[in-house]
Amino acid sequence: MRIGLVIEHFDPRRGGAEMWTCQFARRLARLGHEVHAIARDIAPSMQDAGLIFEPVRAGSSRVEFATAAEAVARRLNLDVVHDNGDGWYGDLLLPHAGIREAMFEQQLLIEPRWLRPFKRLAARWLPRYREFKQVGDRQYGDPRRIYLAISQMLATNMRQYHNVPASQIRLVYNGIDTARFAPDQIAEHRQSMRAKLDVRDGEVLLLIVAINFRRKGVPTLLRATARLAQQGLPVRAVVVGGKRLAPWQRQLDRLGIAERVTLVGHVDDPRPYYGAADAYVLPTFYDPCSLVVLEALACGLPVVTSRFNGAGELITPGQEGYIVADPADDAELATALTPLFDAEHRASLGAAARQLALDHALERNCREILAVYDEIVARRAVRAA
């Protein structure tokens, strides 16, 4: 099959959507499909993946990229054009980042109540949000397009904000490379990384990997860590990712947990930190289906996340981890984390977490999406007949 994958940057270092797209593209190529990478640029690490790079020459705006990507895709005569959220032309749309309007509303919950109406008003006029709307209107305006929802939450958002009929939506949860993210792959890092982080014997290390600290709930985790410390529990936390860490370090000082929390900044490979951690925590305000949660589960880590994470739909509370209702409520988060200080219970959750991840491996993810591709090709054949 001749497949076009559209994403602005074909580079796994840029974020979850890009990492998933690159992994997926590699697997498609290994299965013998002809994969065209339609993007502004492609990472050097993808040069050996067996892809055909189709450069998109466009200005910096989202509209300019979407316009140029459409022109590239149209001239290629592909069997399937699969857009990962950055364009507006194709047979299938998989919006990894979610629905912009839903994300905007969820992020407003981070702001003080008095500020929210002003933010909504500003969004009507700011060029950035007007571009989002222009692209979104085109993305969700084709009655023949198939929409891949990577969670029930995302499917609901599609119907709520863009009136997408259920008949056009296919539910396919994200998949993860369960060989790369596996307990035996990370175990070798445990002692050396915990020593580097100065984690003492008996301390329970909580991990979060994030770029946007506020949306991912880092402030809530920090306040919850302070609560657990005040209760006398042997808690430590490590925050991987983010930029401009100095203000966050000052917040640690204000909370009195500077010696309990390590801010790492960007890393190319998070696996050593999964190896060091005892649990993964993501009290996110909005995540359609977090890949880092699936990575953590695959590494055998219990996960505590929020109900606004589509990946949380896969977790049975008390079996692989716990779900919090309010990502801003540090008391609720601290309560959910407390059972994880029991080593035996933590081990039981971790074993179940690994099994859950195996049920959502990249191989299954790929098969389910290829089945949708087959549906698209068959539909086109019927229309042409």
Side-chain angles (χ1 to χ4, degrees), residues 49 83 164 265 356 363:
D83 188 279
V164 178
L356 175 61
E363 292 80 5

Side-chain angles (χ1 to χ4, degrees), residues 186-205:
I186 65 169
E188 63 183 278
H189 301 290
R190 185 167 178 83
Q191 289 187 350
S192 60
M193 184 55 69
R194 285 174 78 92
K196 180 179 178 181
L197 295 169
D198 195 26
V199 179
R200 299 177 178 86
D201 291 343
E203 289 185 324
V204 174
L205 182 61

Side-chain angles (χ1 to χ4, degrees), residues 32-71:
H33 297 284
E34 183 180 303
V35 182
H36 296 254
I38 303 171
R40 289 185 188 273
D41 46 59
I42 190 166
S45 63
M46 296 301 297
Q47 299 293 342
D48 65 345
L51 314 180
I52 302 169
F53 175 43
E54 307 287 356
V56 177
R57 310 299 185 197
S60 60
S61 79
R62 291 171 177 81
V63 170
E64 288 170 317
F65 174 81
T67 302
E70 177 181 0

Side-chain angles (χ1 to χ4, degrees), residues 6 38 56 65-75 87-90 138:
V6 181
I38 303 171
V56 177
F65 174 81
T67 302
E70 177 181 0
V72 171
R74 282 186 180 277
R75 68 172 171 77
W88 57 37
Y89 170 80
R138 293 283 296 273

Side-chain angles (χ1 to χ4, degrees), residues 87-107:
W88 57 37
Y89 170 80
D91 304 287
L92 179 150
L93 178 70
L94 198 175
H96 275 278
I99 304 300
R100 295 288 180 178
E101 295 86 347
M103 183 189 299
F104 178 79
E105 288 299 319
Q106 285 300 118
Q107 290 192 144

Side-chain angles (χ1 to χ4, degrees), residues 305-334:
T305 190
S306 80
R307 67 187 178 97
F308 299 114
N309 183 354
E313 297 169 10
L314 305 175
I315 294 171
T316 301
Q319 184 167 310
E320 302 91 7
Y322 295 94
I323 307 297
V324 296
D326 183 356
D329 188 340
D330 50 278
E332 182 189 10
L333 180 59

